[in-house]
Amino acid sequence: MTNRVAVSGSTGRLGALVCEVVEQHPDFELVARLRSTSGPEEGADADIVIDVSRPDASPGIVDRALARGQQVVVGTSGWSAALLAELAAKLERTPERGVIVVPNFSLGSVLGTALARIAAPYFDAVEVVEAHHPGKVDSPSGTAVRTAELMAEARGGRPVEAPFADQPARGELVAGIPVHSLRLAGVVAKQEVRFGGPGEVLTLTHDTHSNEAYRAGVRAALEAAPGARGLTVGLDALLGLHGAALDGGAR
């Protein structure tokens, strides 16, 4: 059985790649390329909606898709812990539906976040620096927010050392961890997580050089979408990395 897919945000760089992945997959059919001018009824015949649009539009797109009984994959930034909690509560009322929220489709980025989660309990000072192309409208990035939240969770509530965190130049605090955002021409995406300890600094760096880095992750989320139930957050959950990071951090 072929699954019909609608892609919201299809005119963007990531949206174009998502459409390409769907069209090349034998088990899926692209039935709608949605954009900001598309009406709410467009894509209503799809089984799955993949949203890679804008942070301000994404929650409404997800709500409409769930109301129509569609499965959803979200690759749009801006889904904070509070928004995810609201979404999880909605899905409890419709247990037959599923939403997969993917802050980053890059396998390398997901592995970098998993490694950061393992390292987080062992250092008192932790900071994140993320850089993206000038066209990225939101900051911090969804990947940086997710990384900070997972590291804070792995620390079991123990605060990081973040002196002078009230100063604007120190970045935005996400789960108590300073996150610094850069928007630069010549950059696709980059994230550094820096851990400071007595006499040493550990830096975990991931660079994305082209959108090709997202192809395998998009395919993995697409294939998982028909059987998803409830809320799944992060490509790590689909790849089995979330539990591995927890086990590593517990040692």
Side-chain angles (χ1 to χ4, degrees):
M1 178 179 177
T2 300
N3 293 279
R4 297 167 297 175
V5 181
V7 177
S8 179
S10 61
T11 58
R13 286 183 286 187
L14 180 56
L17 176 66
V18 171
C19 290
E20 187 177 311
V21 172
V22 174
E23 289 180 318
Q24 292 176 352
H25 201 296
D27 298 331
F28 296 85
E29 177 188 0
L30 183 63
V31 296
R33 296 174 181 260
L34 307 179
R35 58 186 69 192
S36 59
T37 56
S38 299
E41 73 286 351
E42 294 187 51
D45 60 338
D47 304 306
I48 301 167
V49 172
I50 302 180
D51 172 47
V52 287
S53 57
R54 294 173 60 92
D56 57 341
S58 187
I61 292 168
V62 173
D63 283 345
R64 287 193 295 273
L66 291 176
R68 293 193 292 248
Q70 296 167 314
Q71 298 288 92
V72 185
V73 174
V74 180
T76 304
S77 294
W79 283 83
S80 64
L83 284 175
L84 290 173
E86 291 179 14
L87 180 56
K90 292 175 184 177
L91 287 167
E92 287 180 359
R93 298 191 291 270
T94 55
E96 71 282 0
R97 298 271 70 84
V99 178
I100 301 172
V101 178
V102 183
N104 197 310
F105 287 106
S106 160
L107 301 183
S109 176
V110 172
L111 285 166
T113 295
L115 293 171
R117 185 180 175 89
I118 292 172
Y122 299 102
F123 293 87
D124 291 329
V126 185
E127 307 215 7
V128 180
V129 181
E130 60 94 353
H132 282 79
H133 56 86
K136 184 170 180 59
V137 298
D138 61 310
S139 61
S141 69
T143 302
V145 170
R146 175 71 172 164
T147 301
E149 290 174 345
L150 289 176
M151 289 192 296
E153 178 185 319
R155 294 175 63 83
R158 182 166 58 91
V160 303
E161 291 182 357
F164 312 111
D166 58 327
Q167 298 178 3
R170 291 288 289 116
E172 178 179 330
L173 285 179
V174 178
I177 297 172
V179 179
H180 311 266
S181 296
L182 311 177
R183 297 293 175 263
L184 300 171
V187 176
V188 177
K190 181 186 183 75
Q191 178 169 284
E192 293 183 358
V193 184
R194 301 185 183 185
F195 302 92
E200 64 178 347
V201 172
L202 169 66
T203 303
L204 300 176
T205 302
H206 176 260
D207 284 285
T208 301
H209 298 295
S210 79
N211 280 356
E212 282 299 304
Y214 306 132
R215 187 179 295 274
V218 170
R219 184 182 175 97
L222 177 66
E223 292 175 345
R229 297 294 180 269
L231 177 62
T232 302
V233 181
L235 199 60
D236 53 335
L238 302 182
L239 302 176
L241 293 174
H242 188 73
L246 277 173
D247 292 342
R251 292 192 179 90

